Amino acid sequence: MHKVKIYITLKEGVLDPQGKAVQHSLNTLDFGNVNEVRVGKYMEVMMEDSEKIEKQVEEMCDKLLANPVIEDYSYQIEEVIA
C-alpha cells in the first residue's frame, strides 16, 4: 500500500485572488510582514502496490486533479507498512 501526497499550486504569473484575500486579512491582523500568499490544494490518495504507480498518479493529476493550463503539481509516494 502506498500513500501519495499531491500538492497542486497555481503556475507562476497566474492571478490568485484567494491568496490576495488571505494576504489582506493577515495584514489587517497586524501581520504586516506578509508580502504574498499563494493558495493551493493538498490531497492524500491511498493506492495499492503497482509497478505503474507514478504513471497513474501523473495521469490522475493531468486528467482530473489539476488543471494543467493554470496549475502545476508535485507528489511524493510513501510506502505504508501495516
Side-chain angles (χ1 to χ4, degrees), residues 9-27 31-39:
T9 56
L10 290 172
K11 289 185 176 187
E12 197 65 38
V14 175
L15 294 178
D16 186 355
Q18 188 176 8
K20 272 290 187 208
V22 172
Q23 175 195 352
H24 177 71
S25 296
L26 289 170
N27 292 157
F31 296 102
N33 60 333
V34 175
N35 295 323
E36 183 179 3
V37 175
R38 303 286 286 173
V39 175

Side-chain angles (χ1 to χ4, degrees), residues 1-3 45-49 53 78-82:
M1 182 75 73
H2 288 87
K3 179 190 291 186
V45 178
M46 299 298 288
M47 297 180 68
E48 296 292 331
D49 294 343
I53 194 165
E78 298 177 358
E79 188 170 347
V80 176
I81 301 172

